[in-house]
Structure formats: structure tokens, C-alpha cells
Amino acid sequence: MFLSAQSDLTELEKYPRLRQSWQWYSDLCAKLGRIPARQDINPADIKFALGYELLVEINRESKNPRVRLIGVVTEEFFKLANGRHAGKDYDTFLTEESQIAASEKLTESLDQGQPIFGTATYTRKDGRRFGYVRIIFPLQSQNDEPEMVFLIFQDFTENEDREIGAQKEEAMKRWS
């Protein structure tokens, strides 16, 4: 679902972190008079989401996004690869099908110039599946930097089991 100023945001009521991130992004767009750039994101303004964020660089040609910044809760939950995820391409930890599907959704947000809210489920290279609810926020490129999007997550699932995801997310609260 594309989110615009005219959107019915009642579905976001179930996801307080996402609702707050939508409000933050909308206010920032209004203040700037444009879509924000990476430099416009002040971590102090998104304390409610720290740990649940992801900054992704888009590569349209290869359809292989690159993780630029990942929140500690998100990184702990995803357990996508050994070591740190920042600087790694999606093909390092996702199947090709999942990598391309994720890339297409991220690019869609950029092309439409609007946030996208919804669920996603992807498969890791080891065959395990994970999912979440998220909002993808498009960012404006400045100073010849690559195209990027900023995501905020909530309601993780593990192998399509919401209870396991909720237990894992609860265990991660020590980081936030």
C-alpha cells in the first residue's frame, strides 16, 4: 500500500512504531518541502525506531541492494550472515528470488516517490524464511550519492510463525 497524505492510515494503528515513523517522515517532508535525503535524517528525531531501522542503497542494474546501515535489533533478528551486515549486498544472505523481490519493492518506493507500507517474507540462503511489517521511505539522492531508501520494521516472524517472531523481538528489547 502506498502511503500519501491522502491515505487512510487506520491500518497503521496496529503498528505504533510504524505509525510514529510515518508521522516523522511526513513532518520532515513538510518541513523540507521535498523528499528527505540521507543527510536529513537525524537519529535524535527517531529515537522511537532506533534499532529497528535499515538504510539500503539501490542498484537498479543488478537488482542487488546493499545494506548501508542496520539497527542492532534488526540485525540480531535477521541473522542473515556471519558478522556485520553493513556494506553487504542482499545476495550475500538472501536467495536470488528473494533478493530480486526485495529490490523491486524498494525500487517501487523510489519510483513512486512515496512510502510503501506492508508485509514481506523472504528466504535466507540457508532456506529459513523470515518476515515483518515495514514501511519503506524513499530518500532523495544528493551530491552524486547512490539511490537509497530507509526502512522501519515491526512484527517480525520466523518461518511464518508470528509467536516465534514476537518472542524473538521481545528478547531483543534489551538493545533498544
Side-chain angles (χ1 to χ4, degrees):
M1 151 198 267
F2 281 111
L3 296 177
S4 69
Q6 295 78 32
S7 293
D8 174 8
L9 302 178
T10 55
E11 192 163 345
L12 285 180
E13 296 302 328
K14 295 183 262 184
Y15 309 104
R17 181 180 313 113
L18 300 184
R19 174 69 180 204
Q20 197 169 357
S21 66
W22 163 251
Q23 191 61 54
W24 158 78
Y25 184 83
S26 297
D27 291 348
L28 186 57
C29 287
K31 176 183 166 190
L32 297 170
R34 60 173 169 76
I35 291 175
R38 183 178 79 158
Q39 298 87 333
D40 297 320
I41 299 173
N42 181 350
D45 295 339
I46 57 168
K47 289 179 185 178
F48 61 89
L50 291 179
Y52 294 88
E53 76 279 3
L54 181 66
L55 179 66
V56 178
E57 180 181 315
I58 306 301
N59 185 328
R60 288 178 184 265
E61 289 180 27
S62 70
K63 293 187 177 184
N64 192 15
R66 174 171 287 165
V67 174
R68 293 290 296 266
L69 174 116
I70 186 168
V72 68
V73 176
T74 301
E75 186 163 42
E76 284 286 323
F77 178 82
F78 285 176
K79 292 272 188 215
L80 299 174
N82 294 329
R84 303 288 305 169
H85 296 90
K88 294 190 176 165
D89 294 335
Y90 275 35
D91 69 352
T92 305
F93 40 80
L94 293 180
T95 63
E96 183 177 8
E97 181 180 315
S98 288
Q99 164 208 320
I100 290 170
S103 178
E104 288 173 352
K105 195 52 82 172
L106 300 173
T107 302
E108 182 181 351
S109 178
L110 280 173
D111 289 347
Q112 296 295 321
Q114 293 186 15
I116 295 177
F117 162 76
T119 61
T121 302
Y122 297 115
T123 306
R124 299 173 178 106
K125 287 229 175 189
D126 65 6
R128 293 178 300 143
R129 294 178 58 78
F130 67 99
Y132 44 76
V133 180
R134 51 82 179 105
I135 298 182
I136 305 167
F137 297 106
L139 298 176
Q140 179 177 336
S141 294
Q142 292 185 336
N143 304 323
D144 298 324
E145 66 183 17
E147 291 183 296
M148 290 188 216
V149 293
F150 187 69
L151 295 87
I152 305 289
F153 299 95
Q154 192 163 339
D155 276 10
F156 295 109
T157 61
E158 184 72 30
N159 292 323
E160 283 131 52
D161 186 330
R162 290 200 183 286
E163 187 173 321
I164 291 173
Q167 290 169 359
K168 200 169 185 182
E169 190 171 0
E170 185 66 30
M172 296 303 147
K173 285 187 178 175
R174 70 181 183 273
W175 298 106
S176 53

